[in-house]
Amino acid sequence: MDKKIAKAYLRYVRISPRKVQIVCDLIRGKDAGTAMAILMQTPKSAAEPLIKLLKSAVANAENNFGMDPANLVVSEVFATPGPILKRMRPRAQGRAYRINKRTSHVTLAVTEKA
């Protein structure tokens, strides 16, 4: 039997992938309820968008695949770099330094426990 995987994507979120990945590592492999509790208590800026993403993935699993939300596990979650917004900062003697405002694409997948 093929294992069903429900996914949700968060694209162009204005947090660098390096910062998002720290929070992703906290919930990878945990069941959906535990992952939600961890995210609620995490004081990182990436936690809030990941809460919405997890809710979306659980809803996708329930509505599209008929999975039981109580049996869901976060099977994979990762952040990849999105486009970089390039900004300039004035510096001494007429120079300009570049400021990179990084964006992320986050993918979260849930499956049912075996």
PDB file of all heavy atoms in Angstrom, residues 54-74:
ATOM      1  N   LEU A  54       1.424  24.286   9.670  1.00  0.00           N
ATOM      2  CA  LEU A  54       1.082  22.977  10.248  1.00  0.00           C
ATOM      3  C   LEU A  54      -0.430  22.777  10.255  1.00  0.00           C
ATOM      4  O   LEU A  54      -0.918  21.699   9.898  1.00  0.00           O
ATOM      5  CB  LEU A  54       1.648  22.849  11.662  1.00  0.00           C
ATOM      6  CG  LEU A  54       1.373  21.542  12.405  1.00  0.00           C
ATOM      7  CD1 LEU A  54       1.917  20.348  11.633  1.00  0.00           C
ATOM      8  CD2 LEU A  54       1.971  21.575  13.804  1.00  0.00           C
ATOM      9  N   LYS A  55      -1.169  23.817  10.622  1.00  0.00           N
ATOM     10  CA  LYS A  55      -2.636  23.727  10.599  1.00  0.00           C
ATOM     11  C   LYS A  55      -3.135  23.438   9.190  1.00  0.00           C
ATOM     12  O   LYS A  55      -4.059  22.647   8.994  1.00  0.00           O
ATOM     13  CB  LYS A  55      -3.257  25.024  11.110  1.00  0.00           C
ATOM     14  CG  LYS A  55      -3.195  25.201  12.612  1.00  0.00           C
ATOM     15  CD  LYS A  55      -3.840  26.505  13.032  1.00  0.00           C
ATOM     16  CE  LYS A  55      -3.737  26.701  14.538  1.00  0.00           C
ATOM     17  NZ  LYS A  55      -4.240  28.021  14.970  1.00  0.00           N
ATOM     18  N   SER A  56      -2.516  24.079   8.208  1.00  0.00           N
ATOM     19  CA  SER A  56      -2.898  23.884   6.808  1.00  0.00           C
ATOM     20  C   SER A  56      -2.625  22.454   6.354  1.00  0.00           C
ATOM     21  O   SER A  56      -3.454  21.834   5.689  1.00  0.00           O
ATOM     22  CB  SER A  56      -2.144  24.873   5.930  1.00  0.00           C
ATOM     23  OG  SER A  56      -2.443  24.663   4.575  1.00  0.00           O
ATOM     24  N   ALA A  57      -1.453  21.914   6.727  1.00  0.00           N
ATOM     25  CA  ALA A  57      -1.095  20.545   6.337  1.00  0.00           C
ATOM     26  C   ALA A  57      -2.045  19.530   6.971  1.00  0.00           C
ATOM     27  O   ALA A  57      -2.457  18.558   6.324  1.00  0.00           O
ATOM     28  CB  ALA A  57       0.349  20.253   6.737  1.00  0.00           C
ATOM     29  N   VAL A  58      -2.415  19.762   8.238  1.00  0.00           N
ATOM     30  CA  VAL A  58      -3.351  18.864   8.932  1.00  0.00           C
ATOM     31  C   VAL A  58      -4.723  18.940   8.261  1.00  0.00           C
ATOM     32  O   VAL A  58      -5.374  17.907   8.048  1.00  0.00           O
ATOM     33  CB  VAL A  58      -3.437  19.217  10.438  1.00  0.00           C
ATOM     34  CG1 VAL A  58      -4.580  18.477  11.112  1.00  0.00           C
ATOM     35  CG2 VAL A  58      -2.123  18.894  11.129  1.00  0.00           C
ATOM     36  N   ALA A  59      -5.169  20.142   7.901  1.00  0.00           N
ATOM     37  CA  ALA A  59      -6.455  20.306   7.213  1.00  0.00           C
ATOM     38  C   ALA A  59      -6.435  19.632   5.843  1.00  0.00           C
ATOM     39  O   ALA A  59      -7.413  18.995   5.449  1.00  0.00           O
ATOM     40  CB  ALA A  59      -6.783  21.786   7.070  1.00  0.00           C
ATOM     41  N   ASN A  60      -5.308  19.759   5.130  1.00  0.00           N
ATOM     42  CA  ASN A  60      -5.168  19.088   3.829  1.00  0.00           C
ATOM     43  C   ASN A  60      -5.268  17.583   3.989  1.00  0.00           C
ATOM     44  O   ASN A  60      -5.911  16.902   3.190  1.00  0.00           O
ATOM     45  CB  ASN A  60      -3.834  19.446   3.174  1.00  0.00           C
ATOM     46  CG  ASN A  60      -3.791  20.872   2.679  1.00  0.00           C
ATOM     47  OD1 ASN A  60      -4.812  21.526   2.558  1.00  0.00           O
ATOM     48  ND2 ASN A  60      -2.591  21.359   2.397  1.00  0.00           N
ATOM     49  N   ALA A  61      -4.616  17.038   5.024  1.00  0.00           N
ATOM     50  CA  ALA A  61      -4.641  15.597   5.270  1.00  0.00           C
ATOM     51  C   ALA A  61      -6.059  15.120   5.555  1.00  0.00           C
ATOM     52  O   ALA A  61      -6.498  14.076   5.051  1.00  0.00           O
ATOM     53  CB  ALA A  61      -3.724  15.256   6.441  1.00  0.00           C
ATOM     54  N   GLU A  62      -6.780  15.904   6.357  1.00  0.00           N
ATOM     55  CA  GLU A  62      -8.139  15.526   6.754  1.00  0.00           C
ATOM     56  C   GLU A  62      -9.113  15.623   5.584  1.00  0.00           C
ATOM     57  O   GLU A  62      -9.881  14.695   5.331  1.00  0.00           O
ATOM     58  CB  GLU A  62      -8.580  16.453   7.894  1.00  0.00           C
ATOM     59  CG  GLU A  62      -9.812  15.987   8.629  1.00  0.00           C
ATOM     60  CD  GLU A  62     -10.130  16.877   9.818  1.00  0.00           C
ATOM     61  OE1 GLU A  62      -9.409  17.857  10.079  1.00  0.00           O
ATOM     62  OE2 GLU A  62     -11.132  16.585  10.484  1.00  0.00           O
ATOM     63  N   ASN A  63      -9.049  16.745   4.841  1.00  0.00           N
ATOM     64  CA  ASN A  63     -10.030  16.984   3.787  1.00  0.00           C
ATOM     65  C   ASN A  63      -9.718  16.275   2.474  1.00  0.00           C
ATOM     66  O   ASN A  63     -10.620  15.782   1.803  1.00  0.00           O
ATOM     67  CB  ASN A  63     -10.162  18.494   3.524  1.00  0.00           C
ATOM     68  CG  ASN A  63     -10.777  19.210   4.696  1.00  0.00           C
ATOM     69  OD1 ASN A  63     -11.756  18.749   5.253  1.00  0.00           O
ATOM     70  ND2 ASN A  63     -10.195  20.316   5.087  1.00  0.00           N
ATOM     71  N   ASN A  64      -8.442  16.221   2.097  1.00  0.00           N
ATOM     72  CA  ASN A  64      -8.086  15.664   0.788  1.00  0.00           C
ATOM     73  C   ASN A  64      -7.838  14.162   0.813  1.00  0.00           C
ATOM     74  O   ASN A  64      -8.031  13.481  -0.179  1.00  0.00           O
ATOM     75  CB  ASN A  64      -6.846  16.371   0.229  1.00  0.00           C
ATOM     76  CG  ASN A  64      -7.065  17.857   0.051  1.00  0.00           C
ATOM     77  OD1 ASN A  64      -8.190  18.328   0.099  1.00  0.00           O
ATOM     78  ND2 ASN A  64      -5.994  18.597  -0.135  1.00  0.00           N
ATOM     79  N   PHE A  65      -7.365  13.644   1.963  1.00  0.00           N
ATOM     80  CA  PHE A  65      -6.998  12.225   2.033  1.00  0.00           C
ATOM     81  C   PHE A  65      -7.803  11.454   3.063  1.00  0.00           C
ATOM     82  O   PHE A  65      -7.624  10.251   3.215  1.00  0.00           O
ATOM     83  CB  PHE A  65      -5.501  12.078   2.337  1.00  0.00           C
ATOM     84  CG  PHE A  65      -4.613  12.686   1.282  1.00  0.00           C
ATOM     85  CD1 PHE A  65      -3.997  13.911   1.493  1.00  0.00           C
ATOM     86  CD2 PHE A  65      -4.399  12.046   0.072  1.00  0.00           C
ATOM     87  CE1 PHE A  65      -3.185  14.483   0.531  1.00  0.00           C
ATOM     88  CE2 PHE A  65      -3.590  12.602  -0.899  1.00  0.00           C
ATOM     89  CZ  PHE A  65      -2.986  13.822  -0.679  1.00  0.00           C
ATOM     90  N   GLY A  66      -8.653  12.117   3.834  1.00  0.00           N
ATOM     91  CA  GLY A  66      -9.480  11.445   4.841  1.00  0.00           C
ATOM     92  C   GLY A  66      -8.683  10.857   5.988  1.00  0.00           C
ATOM     93  O   GLY A  66      -9.087   9.870   6.600  1.00  0.00           O
ATOM     94  N   MET A  67      -7.534  11.444   6.297  1.00  0.00           N
ATOM     95  CA  MET A  67      -6.708  10.936   7.405  1.00  0.00           C
ATOM     96  C   MET A  67      -7.266  11.425   8.737  1.00  0.00           C
ATOM     97  O   MET A  67      -7.943  12.448   8.805  1.00  0.00           O
ATOM     98  CB  MET A  67      -5.263  11.428   7.265  1.00  0.00           C
ATOM     99  CG  MET A  67      -4.540  10.954   6.041  1.00  0.00           C
ATOM    100  SD  MET A  67      -2.838  11.570   6.087  1.00  0.00           S
ATOM    101  CE  MET A  67      -2.350  11.397   4.410  1.00  0.00           C
ATOM    102  N   ASP A  68      -6.949  10.689   9.802  1.00  0.00           N
ATOM    103  CA  ASP A  68      -7.361  11.075  11.148  1.00  0.00           C
ATOM    104  C   ASP A  68      -6.340  12.052  11.720  1.00  0.00           C
ATOM    105  O   ASP A  68      -5.166  11.706  11.846  1.00  0.00           O
ATOM    106  CB  ASP A  68      -7.453   9.812  12.024  1.00  0.00           C
ATOM    107  CG  ASP A  68      -7.863  10.134  13.448  1.00  0.00           C
ATOM    108  OD1 ASP A  68      -8.445  11.216  13.668  1.00  0.00           O
ATOM    109  OD2 ASP A  68      -7.601   9.310  14.344  1.00  0.00           O
ATOM    110  N   PRO A  69      -6.761  13.278  12.086  1.00  0.00           N
ATOM    111  CA  PRO A  69      -5.805  14.287  12.588  1.00  0.00           C
ATOM    112  C   PRO A  69      -5.055  13.846  13.849  1.00  0.00           C
ATOM    113  O   PRO A  69      -3.947  14.316  14.101  1.00  0.00           O
ATOM    114  CB  PRO A  69      -6.685  15.498  12.896  1.00  0.00           C
ATOM    115  CG  PRO A  69      -7.953  15.280  12.169  1.00  0.00           C
ATOM    116  CD  PRO A  69      -8.113  13.814  11.985  1.00  0.00           C
ATOM    117  N   ALA A  70      -5.637  12.940  14.620  1.00  0.00           N
ATOM    118  CA  ALA A  70      -4.990  12.482  15.862  1.00  0.00           C
ATOM    119  C   ALA A  70      -3.789  11.577  15.582  1.00  0.00           C
ATOM    120  O   ALA A  70      -2.914  11.432  16.436  1.00  0.00           O
ATOM    121  CB  ALA A  70      -5.999  11.751  16.734  1.00  0.00           C
ATOM    122  N   ASN A  71      -3.735  10.972  14.388  1.00  0.00           N
ATOM    123  CA  ASN A  71      -2.660  10.023  14.063  1.00  0.00           C
ATOM    124  C   ASN A  71      -1.579  10.607  13.158  1.00  0.00           C
ATOM    125  O   ASN A  71      -0.776   9.866  12.607  1.00  0.00           O
ATOM    126  CB  ASN A  71      -3.234   8.775  13.370  1.00  0.00           C
ATOM    127  CG  ASN A  71      -4.055   7.936  14.323  1.00  0.00           C
ATOM    128  OD1 ASN A  71      -3.906   8.049  15.535  1.00  0.00           O
ATOM    129  ND2 ASN A  71      -4.932   7.125  13.777  1.00  0.00           N
ATOM    130  N   LEU A  72      -1.560  11.924  12.983  1.00  0.00           N
ATOM    131  CA  LEU A  72      -0.625  12.518  12.031  1.00  0.00           C
ATOM    132  C   LEU A  72       0.744  12.797  12.651  1.00  0.00           C
ATOM    133  O   LEU A  72       0.845  13.174  13.812  1.00  0.00           O
ATOM    134  CB  LEU A  72      -1.202  13.822  11.463  1.00  0.00           C
ATOM    135  CG  LEU A  72      -2.438  13.652  10.592  1.00  0.00           C
ATOM    136  CD1 LEU A  72      -2.975  15.010  10.158  1.00  0.00           C
ATOM    137  CD2 LEU A  72      -2.154  12.805   9.370  1.00  0.00           C
ATOM    138  N   VAL A  73       1.784  12.600  11.823  1.00  0.00           N
ATOM    139  CA  VAL A  73       3.170  12.852  12.217  1.00  0.00           C
ATOM    140  C   VAL A  73       3.793  13.788  11.188  1.00  0.00           C
ATOM    141  O   VAL A  73       3.541  13.654   9.987  1.00  0.00           O
ATOM    142  CB  VAL A  73       3.974  11.524  12.256  1.00  0.00           C
ATOM    143  CG1 VAL A  73       5.433  11.780  12.548  1.00  0.00           C
ATOM    144  CG2 VAL A  73       3.386  10.574  13.266  1.00  0.00           C
ATOM    145  N   VAL A  74       4.616  14.739  11.647  1.00  0.00           N
ATOM    146  CA  VAL A  74       5.337  15.630  10.731  1.00  0.00           C
ATOM    147  C   VAL A  74       6.481  14.815  10.131  1.00  0.00           C
ATOM    148  O   VAL A  74       7.511  14.604  10.761  1.00  0.00           O
ATOM    149  CB  VAL A  74       5.876  16.875  11.482  1.00  0.00           C
ATOM    150  CG1 VAL A  74       6.667  17.759  10.522  1.00  0.00           C
ATOM    151  CG2 VAL A  74       4.751  17.653  12.113  1.00  0.00           C
TER     152      VAL A  74
END
